[in-house]
C-alpha cells in the first residue's frame, strides 16, 4: 500500500490557461473520488468513479471541468479556461468496494490561478 | 441531501485536559459517520467511523466518538489532549446507500502546553 499519489503538488497558472492534475489511487481500490477544498471549508465532492465509469458529477463541476479514469487505474482532472475562482486544493481519494469503507486521501494539488 | 455542521470554528484546550469537537449531521436513512484529521501540508487522515453497533467508537491516537441518534450528533472526544493533537478536524457523513462523503467546514483544535 503506497497510498494515494497526486501530481503536481502545486500548480500556478494564468487565467484562461488549461491545467491537468493526475491521481494514482491505491492499486486495489475500485472507487475514486475528486474533492475540492478552499480555505476555511471542508472538502466538497466533485465526481466519483467506479472502475472506469464516472457515476456522478456534482453541480460544482461546470463544463470547463472534465475527469477521466481510463482502464480504471489512474485518473486525471482537467480544468479548461481557468478562472480565479478555481483556485483551491484539489483532493483525490480512493476506497474499496464495501459500502462502509473509509476513503484514503492524497496530499492534494494546490491550484493558484493568477 | 446530507449535511454536516461543526458549530465551532476553533477549540482551544490545555494539554492534559479533555478535548471535545462537536458534530451534528443530517441524512436520509442510516448514517455512516467519519472523523478525519488534517495536518498542515498533508492529506486528510482517517481517525474513526461509525457504521452500526456500539454507539461509542474508538479510533486512532486515543480518540473516540459517541453516536447519538436522537440528537443526530457524533462528537469527537479525547480524555487527555496532547500538543501534537493540534490540527484541523473534519466530521463527515454519508447515507448507507450512497457513496460520497459530505464534510463539515472543519474545527481547528489548538492544544497549548
Amino acid at each position: 500500500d503506497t497510498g494515494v499519489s497526486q501530481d503536481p503538488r502545486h500548480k500556478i497558472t494564468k487565467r484562461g490557461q488549461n491545467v491537468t492534475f493526475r491521481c494514482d489511487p491505491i492499486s486495489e481500490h475500485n472507487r475514486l473520488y475528486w474533492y475540492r477544498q478552499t480555505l476555511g471549508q471542508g472538502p466538497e465532492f466533485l465526481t466519483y468513479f467506479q472502475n472506469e465509469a464516472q457515476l456522478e458529477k456534482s453541480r460544482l463541476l461546470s463544463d470547463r471541468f472534465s475527469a477521466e479514469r481510463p482502464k480504471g487505474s489512474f485518473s486525471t482532472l482537467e480544468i479548461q479556461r481557468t478562472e480565479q475562482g478555481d483556485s483551491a486544493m484539489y483532493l483525490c481519494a480512493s476506497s474499496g468496494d464495501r459500502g462502509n469503507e473509509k476513503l484514503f486521501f492524497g496530499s492534494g494539488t494546490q491550484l493558484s490561478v493568477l | 441531501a446530507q449535511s454536516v455542521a461543526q458549530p465551532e470554528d476553533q477549540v482551544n484546550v490545555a494539554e492534559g485536559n479533555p478535548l471535545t469537537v462537536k458534530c451534528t449531521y443530517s441524512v436520509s436513512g442510516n448514517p455512516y459517520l467519519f472523523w478525519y484529521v488534517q495536518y498542515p501540508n498533508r492529506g486528510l487522515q482517517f481517525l474513526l467511523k461509525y457504521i452500526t453497533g456500539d454507539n461509542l467508537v474508538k479510533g486512532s491516537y486515543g480518540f473516540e466518538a459517541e453516536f447519538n441518534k436522537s440528537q443526530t450528533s457524533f462528537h469527537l472526544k479525547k480524555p487527555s489532549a496532547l500538543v501534537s493533537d493540534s490540527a484541523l478536524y473534519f466530521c463527515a457523513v454519508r447515507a448507507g446507500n450512497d457513496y460520497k462523503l459530505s464534510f463539515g467546514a472543519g474545527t481547528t483544535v489548538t492544544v497549548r502546553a
Side-chain angles (χ1 to χ4, degrees), chain A residues 8-26:
Chain A
R9 290 293 303 274
H10 304 276
K11 179 69 177 179
I12 300 173
T13 191
K14 293 182 178 179
R15 188 176 53 188
Q17 297 295 306
N18 299 344
V19 294
T20 300
F21 310 141
R22 176 179 171 123
C23 171
D24 287 89
I26 293 171

Side-chain angles (χ1 to χ4, degrees), chain B residues 7-93:
Chain B
E8 299 160 317
D9 291 336
Q10 292 192 358
V11 170
N12 299 308
V13 298
E15 188 173 35
N17 282 1
L19 169 63
T20 298
V21 186
K22 296 179 180 178
C23 170
T24 58
Y25 67 89
S26 174
V27 70
S28 298
N30 293 324
Y32 289 1
L33 293 155
F34 300 79
W35 276 101
Y36 283 82
V37 60
Q38 188 174 37
Y39 297 99
N41 300 316
R42 297 182 64 179
L44 279 78
Q45 297 178 30
F46 170 80
L47 279 179
L48 50 79
K49 66 180 178 182
Y50 172 83
I51 304 299
T52 186
D54 194 350
N55 289 344
L56 185 63
V57 178
K58 294 187 182 297
S60 307
Y61 312 121
F63 284 93
E64 58 189 28
E66 186 167 10
F67 170 64
N68 188 317
K69 187 173 183 178
S70 63
Q71 297 185 4
T72 61
S73 67
F74 189 56
H75 300 330
L76 181 70
K77 300 179 181 182
K78 186 170 184 179
S80 179
L82 301 173
V83 172
S84 57
D85 294 328
S86 299
L88 182 55
Y89 291 80
F90 291 100
C91 181
V93 69

Side-chain angles (χ1 to χ4, degrees), chain A residues 40-56:
Chain A
Q41 298 296 319
E44 296 173 297
F45 172 79
L46 292 179
T47 190
Y48 159 70
F49 289 85
Q50 175 80 27
N51 298 310
E52 67 275 9
Q54 187 175 20
L55 298 186
E56 184 171 344

